[in-house]
C-alpha cells in the first residue's frame, strides 16, 4: 500500500508546494465553470455589442469605471460623427437650416476631449441636439452614401 506522506509543517519547500497545489486545484475548478466564446465578424458588425449585452444580462451590469469610460467613448464618437457630417456639408454645399448653428462648427472641429473624471459638457449636449435637429444636417446624413458616413448614423 502507498500512503501519501504528510507535508512536514517545518519544511518551507513542502509548504510552498502545498500552496501551489491548492492554487492549481482552485484554478482547475474555476476554469471548468468558465465558458469561452469566439466571436467572428467584420468590423462594426456588433461583436463588442454582444459582449456588452451579455455582461449586462449575466454579470450584473457595468461598474462605475465602465460607465465613466463609456461616457468618454460616446462623447468622442459624437464629436467624430458630427465632424464627418460637417465636412460633408461643406463639400456637398449643404447649408444649415438655422444659421445660428454655425457657431457649433468651431466647437466640433476643435476636436474636444473629456476624461473619465469630467462630466459630459452641457454646452456640447446643446450643440449635438441643435445640430441633429437641423434639417441641413439631416439632408447631409441622408446623402451619407456620397461620403464616408458611419453606418450607425444613417
Amino acid at each position: 500500500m502507498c500512503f501519501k506522506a504528510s507535508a512536514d509543517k517545518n519544511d518551507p519547500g513542502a509548504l510552498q508546494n502545498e500552496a501551489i497545489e491548492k492554487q492549481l486545484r482552485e484554478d482547475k475548478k474555476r476554469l471548468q465553470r468558465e465558458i469561452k466564446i469566439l466571436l467572428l465578424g467584420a468590423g462594426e458588425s456588433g461583436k463588442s455589442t454582444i459582449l456588452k449585452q451579455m455582461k449586462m444580462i449575466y454579470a450584473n451590469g457595468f461598474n462605475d469605471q465602465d460607465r465613466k469610460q463609456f461616457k468618454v467613448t460616446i462623447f468622442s464618437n459624437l464629436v467624430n460623427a458630427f465632424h464627418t457630417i460637417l465636412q460633408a456639408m461643406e463639400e456637398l454645399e449643404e447649408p444649415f437650416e438655422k444659421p445660428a448653428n454655425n457657431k457649433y462648427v468651431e466647437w466640433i472641429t476643435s476636436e474636444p476631449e473629456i476624461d473619465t473624471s469630467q462630466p459630459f459638457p452641457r454646452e456640447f449636449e446643446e450643440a449635438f441636439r441643435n445640430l441633429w435637429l437641423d434639417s441641413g444636417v439631416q439632408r447631409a446624413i441622408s446623402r451619407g452614401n456620397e461620403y464616408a458616413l458611419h453606418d450607425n448614423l444613417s
Side-chain angles (χ1 to χ4, degrees), residues 72 75-76 79 110-115 118 121 124:
V72 171
F75 182 78
S76 175
V79 168
S110 69
E111 299 184 13
E113 294 181 0
I114 61 171
D115 65 34
Q118 293 176 291
F124 278 93

Side-chain angles (χ1 to χ4, degrees), residues 81 84-85 140-145 147-154:
T84 301
I85 293 166
I141 291 170
S142 70
R143 296 176 65 184
N145 62 322
Y147 61 98
L149 181 62
H150 199 279
D151 288 344
N152 64 3
L153 291 173
S154 54

Side-chain angles (χ1 to χ4, degrees), residues 19-134:
I20 292 170
E21 291 288 335
K22 181 180 178 185
Q23 184 65 47
L24 286 172
R25 286 190 299 274
E26 290 172 2
D27 289 347
K28 183 177 180 180
K29 286 180 184 177
R30 184 181 48 78
L31 285 172
Q32 287 174 338
R33 290 188 313 264
E34 197 172 281
I35 298 172
K36 296 179 183 178
I37 299 173
L38 175 63
L39 294 176
L40 301 174
E44 304 298 324
S45 64
K47 298 178 297 290
S48 296
T49 303
I50 292 291
L51 289 176
K52 290 172 189 169
Q53 289 173 344
M54 290 176 69
K55 185 173 183 177
M56 285 175 44
I57 295 168
Y58 299 108
N60 301 323
F62 300 107
N63 61 33
D64 286 340
Q65 186 58 37
D66 289 339
R67 286 188 196 97
K68 289 177 181 178
Q69 187 56 50
F70 289 143
K71 174 186 63 180
V72 171
T73 302
I74 290 167
F75 182 78
S76 175
N77 287 349
L78 283 167
V79 168
N80 291 335
F82 275 110
H83 192 268
T84 301
I85 293 166
L86 294 173
Q87 284 179 326
M89 287 177 72
E90 187 176 321
E91 291 173 15
L92 298 170
E93 297 178 359
E94 193 70 65
F96 287 113
E97 170 195 20
K98 298 177 182 166
N101 286 335
N102 279 303
K103 68 181 177 184
Y104 302 126
V105 173
E106 187 177 329
W107 293 10
I108 300 296
T109 57
S110 69
E111 299 184 13
E113 294 181 0
I114 61 171
D115 65 34
T116 56
S117 65
Q118 293 176 291
F120 200 97
R122 292 293 173 206
E123 64 273 12
F124 278 93
E125 185 178 330
E126 176 187 330
F128 296 146
R129 181 175 289 113
N130 287 334
L131 288 171
W132 185 256
L133 295 174
D134 191 283

